Amino acid sequence: MFRHLRTLHQVTRRTITSSTPRQLENKVPAKQKMFQEDNGMPVHLKGGAKDALLYRATMALTVFGCGYVVYVLINAAMPKKKE
């Protein structure tokens, strides 16, 4: 039993340690250059269409949430009519 576990342990160690790390391109300098250039845009919108969509969705949810809170507060402040 231990012999099988020892063999399995050796096989897994060999595959993990002998694998070469994947080389990825460093994208940080390009992103830094894009976000630091002075083009008049706010930094939270410099990421492109995805950032603009997230910003607009966040603003829409915020306005809707504030409107709903005001509605609930007014509804709670008004006395209920008894029939």
Side-chain angles (χ1 to χ4, degrees):
M1 169 110 176
F2 284 121
R3 195 168 121 217
H4 295 297
L5 288 175
R6 183 185 267 164
T7 305
L8 179 64
H9 180 68
Q10 286 176 352
V11 169
T12 56
R13 278 187 79 182
R14 284 185 192 146
T15 57
I16 291 173
T17 59
S18 66
S19 63
T20 59
R22 198 180 336 171
Q23 296 295 325
L24 297 175
E25 179 187 353
N26 187 6
K27 298 177 184 177
V28 174
K31 291 283 186 182
Q32 283 177 338
K33 184 178 178 185
M34 179 181 70
F35 279 97
Q36 289 177 354
E37 69 183 23
D38 188 22
N39 58 1
M41 287 181 68
V43 73
H44 58 272
L45 294 177
K46 285 187 178 184
K50 187 171 71 169
D51 282 350
L53 180 67
L54 285 171
Y55 175 74
R56 288 187 182 124
T58 303
M59 287 299 114
L61 285 170
T62 302
V63 169
F64 174 75
C66 289
Y68 185 71
V69 166
V70 170
Y71 167 76
V72 169
L73 287 173
I74 290 173
N75 196 15
M78 298 292 175
K80 304 286 184 214
K81 292 184 180 180
K82 295 184 180 180
E83 295 182 43

